[in-house]
Structures are given as structure tokens and as C-alpha cells.
Amino acid sequence: MSTTTGDGDERRKVAIILAFCGVGYLGMQRNPGAKTIEGELEEALFRAGAVTEIDRGKPKQYDFTRCARTDKGVSAVGQVVSGRFHVDPPGFVDRLNANLPDQIRVFGYKHVPPSFSSYKFCDRRRYVYLIPVFALDPFTHRDREAVMASLGSGEEYVKCYECSERGRKNKITGVVGKLKVDSFEAKSLDAQSDILSNSFSALTTEGKSKFCYGEEEKERFNRILSYYVGSYNFHNFTTRIKADDPAANRSIISFTANTVINLDGIDFIKCEVLGQSFMLHQIRKMMGLAVAIMRNCAPESLINTAFSKDVNITVPMAPEVGLYLDECFFTSYNNTQCEDRYEEVSMEAYKEEAEAFKLKHIYSHIGSVERKYGNVALWLHSLNYRNYPDLNYGRIGHNAEQALVCKTVGKTQETTVAEQNDENSQVKTS
């Protein structure tokens, strides 16, 4: 069905399926004065003749809606927007792409009824977060200040080869990650072997982590992610939403991490979360806390504690670069409301094209950014009790901490190391 404006301009309600790499953009949603994906798309719609001059910059005039917002720097493979556009003559998709940068691609569009809204008619949304395998290793990229304290006096500064963070070394030549020890200091370093093994055991002579995402690690990480599955109050996993706000109640259908892929020489775990809808920063905060638990910085019970309306805690937020919107689902619409004269809204016809875009623009970006800048590695150095004291919530005063005394050059220093209680027998509450 089409609508006609007073000037004879015929428009059709369509759902547009697109992908984008979010680098350099301040999110999906239009924000005057900011560079956004919607800003680029709206301008392309005008230049492609889909929006008239009189409606330019006025998305409400052509009933524009988006399926999902995305944060700054976050990408998407299966984003869907809808509106009333002039899509004739043929070549609408080509005209749009000709006016868009390469990192934003329109795959196609579907004819939908006038009442269709890509936001309201979407049943579920699936996001993927790619987290480097090394991020789950408790001994890799440890708290920088703890490592500095452990190495004692007389050290010199070096730059971490893997993460660009500045640490200290005690007569260890070369960059961290390619450890070479001067012979005259070898004995004193042997006296600190426990500390060094805790701080740098993940580093071999090739600078690679010994940690492997094997069956045991996979089982534990999936168990941690499963605590999020269900309907809960996620007020501690977003910003500016209070516990008593109904908007804080969200439902997670599944959250799994079963696949490892290699990007730019770095192994990443593919974490897939499926839910009805998500709040600002929610997925990144869920990932942040899950990683903290895997690294033994917090107990598994903290997730259920965070769901309590009476508890306000600050949880870590993982970097934005690893997150992308994978697909939006319109199952109910396709099954019950899609009449013969309208088309189903799905990614089915564009899977190959979407996969090619993902590999070329999104995966390559995620891998190269971690390789070049070490965003996740740097974030891991900040994952400590000084920055996130609430990670200790619920276990302070319960003999959860033990003192580890180490000998350094010329003095004795006490370093407190938090040890997590054995929670393998803990059962998730619904």
C-alpha cells in the first residue's frame, strides 16, 4: 500500500535492512551536531530521492523508526529501519549505497503494511560480543599497580608489548611479553618466583598466553552467562534508570559462548545474547561483570545480587569495539500479520552479503583495533577493586581475603590478593 502527499509524491512503507561498522560514529540514533549512522542514512535517503526536500531532516514526517539503538562505536549486521519512502523507479538500493560510505551498506528492503514499525514489530534482537580469549585468563594483563608492587624496588619502566600499558620490570631487558633476564638478577628474581608467575605466567617467550578456552573454561563461562537468562531487573547494568522504573525489567532468552574465531592472529570468543530488547550499555556491562568473575575478581553470586532492587552497585563495562547487532527478528509479524501482498522481514535473502560485510568491515576492525591498540588489554588493567570496589560486594568480612607476603629487594611488602570461594556447587535462583 502506498500513500500520496499533496504534491503527488507517491510513497510506500518499507523496511530497510542494512549493516554498518560503527567506528567513528556516535551511535545509531540521530543526534543533531553529532556524526551518527542515522544522520548518514537520512542524508542518503534524501539524495537518493526517497525523501523530499520539504521533509529533509524531519524523520517524523516520513514515519521513520529504527529496530535498535547502538552505542558509540558499536556495529550492526542486521539493523532494520522503516518509513514511508519513494522507492520507484527500480534501483532504490543502488541509489542509497551510492550516497553512503563503504562502512554503511543497505542490503535490501521489504514492502510492509502502513502500520508497520521496525521498533514495535521486532520480537527479539541478537547481539554478539567478541571477547579475546586472553581476557578470561586471571593471570594475563593483571592490575598494573599490583604488578608494580610485586616487582619491588630498583625497577625501570617498560611498555607492555601486548597492551601499551606502562608497567615496571626489575632488570628484565626487552619488552614485557618477550622476557629476558639479566644473569646477575636471576637469583633475586627466583626469590620472587611466586609473584612473577602470578603476574606474568601467561607470557611465554613469544608473548602469547598459555590460557586455552577448553571444555572446562567453556563450561564455566557459559554457566556464568546463564545467570542472565530469564526476566530480571537490570537497573545495575545500565545508566540513568532506577530500580523502580519498569523499563529496568528485561528478558534474556539465551546467552552462550561456544565458538572461537581468530582475527588478526588473536583468538576471540563469540558470545551471543538473544533478548527482547536491551538498555543503554546493558550488554557491555553484562560482559564486563562476567569477565570479572572469570578472572576471579568477583563471586558468581554477584550477578543475582545485582538483580536486587534494593542493591545499587557499579559493575565494569567492557569496551564497545567488540559488540555488534547481529540480527533483528520479526517472527510474530511474519507468522500472523504479514499478508499476501506484503513481504516477510528477515535476513534470509541477504545472509551471504551480510557475512561478507561482517568479515570485511566488522571483524577486521575488531581484530586490528585489539592488535594495534589493545583496548581490551588496557581495560583489563583497570579491572580491580580500586576502580570497582563493588566487585567485593557480599564477601568482605567473610574470610575472602588472605595476605600474601613476598620478599622484595631490601624490604618486606605485604600484598593482599583476593581469592574467590569455590562456587562450583552454587545453584542459580530463578
Side-chain angles (χ1 to χ4, degrees):
M1 182 177 292
S2 62
T3 57
T4 306
T5 62
D7 58 3
D9 180 28
E10 186 177 10
R11 303 182 187 183
R12 299 177 184 272
K13 191 66 171 289
V14 298
I16 299 173
I17 301 171
L18 69 150
F20 58 84
C21 178
V23 60
Y25 289 91
L26 295 177
M28 173 71 189
Q29 189 175 11
R30 183 175 182 267
N31 186 4
K35 184 179 180 182
T36 65
I37 300 297
E38 273 186 19
E40 296 272 23
L41 182 59
E42 287 179 8
E43 185 64 15
L45 286 165
F46 165 71
R47 294 185 178 279
V51 173
T52 61
E53 177 71 43
I54 195 171
D55 290 335
R56 185 181 187 185
K58 303 173 184 176
K60 290 184 179 180
Q61 293 293 99
Y62 45 89
D63 199 22
F64 184 89
T65 61
R66 76 197 67 79
C67 183
R69 299 183 184 184
T70 55
D71 297 350
K72 175 180 72 70
V74 174
S75 302
V77 179
Q79 175 68 289
V80 179
V81 301
S82 60
R84 294 181 291 108
F85 306 114
H86 183 80
V87 296
D88 294 324
F92 176 57
V93 173
D94 291 338
R95 294 198 304 274
L96 274 179
N97 285 328
N99 288 282
L100 287 168
D102 289 342
Q103 69 185 87
I104 304 175
R105 289 291 91 180
V106 171
F107 297 139
Y109 66 95
K110 303 292 184 179
H111 291 283
V112 292
S115 62
F116 183 89
S117 164
S118 59
Y119 176 74
K120 294 180 180 179
F121 282 53
C122 182
D123 303 308
R124 298 167 293 157
R125 297 156 177 87
R126 182 175 64 217
Y127 283 82
V128 170
Y129 193 100
L130 297 181
I131 187 76
V133 169
F134 67 72
L136 305 189
D137 182 358
F139 300 118
T140 302
H141 301 291
R142 293 281 296 276
D143 175 7
R144 179 175 62 88
E145 292 187 17
V147 172
M148 290 167 60
S150 299
L151 291 176
S153 60
E155 64 273 34
E156 58 185 272
Y157 283 100
V158 293
K159 193 173 186 179
C160 175
Y161 178 75
E162 292 187 71
C163 66
S164 300
E165 181 59 281
R166 296 192 68 84
R168 288 184 179 180
K169 64 178 182 179
N170 192 343
K171 298 298 181 180
I172 301 175
T173 62
V175 294
V176 176
K178 296 185 177 180
L179 302 180
K180 297 179 181 179
V181 184
D182 288 350
S183 59
F184 85 95
E185 276 289 1
K187 292 183 179 180
S188 65
L189 286 175
D190 285 340
Q192 302 175 39
S193 60
D194 288 342
I195 300 302
L196 285 171
S197 63
N198 282 341
S199 301
F200 297 113
S201 65
L203 301 177
T204 67
T205 56
E206 295 179 353
K208 296 180 180 179
S209 172
K210 296 177 181 178
F211 181 84
C212 175
Y213 192 60
E215 290 304 315
E216 183 178 346
E217 292 78 13
K218 182 187 296 185
E219 187 279 331
R220 185 186 177 208
F221 195 35
N222 275 280
R223 183 182 70 247
I224 292 170
L225 295 178
S226 73
Y227 285 102
Y228 294 117
V229 176
S231 298
Y232 299 106
N233 189 307
F234 283 91
H235 71 102
N236 281 311
F237 295 88
T238 187
T239 55
R240 300 191 298 273
I241 293 183
K242 303 299 182 182
D244 57 358
D245 190 331
N249 298 310
R250 302 286 164 142
S251 295
I252 305 299
I253 299 168
S254 64
F255 205 161
T256 58
N258 296 320
T259 306
V260 175
I261 61 175
N262 188 278
L263 304 177
D264 207 350
I266 302 173
D267 284 338
F268 287 79
I269 304 167
K270 188 177 182 180
C271 306
E272 300 182 68
V273 56
L274 181 67
Q276 293 178 342
S277 60
F278 299 90
M279 297 179 290
L280 180 67
H281 302 325
Q282 181 183 342
I283 297 173
R284 291 168 59 192
K285 283 179 173 285
M286 289 194 295
M287 284 298 304
L289 182 53
V291 170
I293 293 171
M294 279 294 293
R295 293 174 65 85
N296 301 324
C297 296
E300 289 185 22
S301 59
L302 189 57
I303 295 180
N304 281 327
T305 301
F307 292 147
S308 174
K309 295 178 67 173
D310 300 325
V311 174
N312 291 307
I313 61 175
T314 299
V315 300
M317 182 167 68
E320 73 273 6
V321 67
L323 179 65
Y324 67 88
L325 172 63
D326 191 48
E327 189 169 355
C328 299
F329 298 90
F330 299 83
T331 307
S332 296
Y333 164 77
N334 291 337
N335 289 340
T336 63
Q337 300 185 47
C338 181
E339 302 175 9
D340 292 339
R341 63 181 182 274
Y342 299 115
E343 301 172 281
E344 289 190 353
V345 179
S346 76
M347 288 287 295
E348 193 62 35
Y350 314 113
K351 282 190 173 181
E352 291 186 8
E353 191 176 354
E355 188 66 22
F357 180 92
K358 184 194 304 180
L359 293 173
K360 181 179 179 180
H361 293 280
I362 299 177
Y363 279 9
S364 63
H365 172 65
I366 293 173
S368 63
V369 164
E370 189 59 38
R371 170 64 64 191
K372 185 174 182 180
Y373 301 107
N375 285 16
V376 174
L378 284 170
W379 171 68
L380 294 175
H381 281 287
S382 70
L383 206 56
N384 53 53
Y385 299 127
R386 293 183 308 282
N387 294 322
Y388 302 102
D390 291 338
L391 291 178
N392 248 333
Y393 188 96
R395 69 178 185 184
I396 296 178
H398 295 280
N399 296 321
E401 294 185 345
Q402 296 180 350
L404 176 66
V405 181
C406 62
K407 297 290 184 180
T408 59
V409 180
K411 65 177 181 179
T412 299
Q413 181 177 29
E414 292 187 357
T415 304
T416 301
V417 179
E419 295 188 353
Q420 182 181 21
N421 294 326
D422 181 10
E423 295 175 323
N424 291 336
S425 61
Q426 183 177 8
V427 179
K428 177 187 172 187
T429 58
S430 59

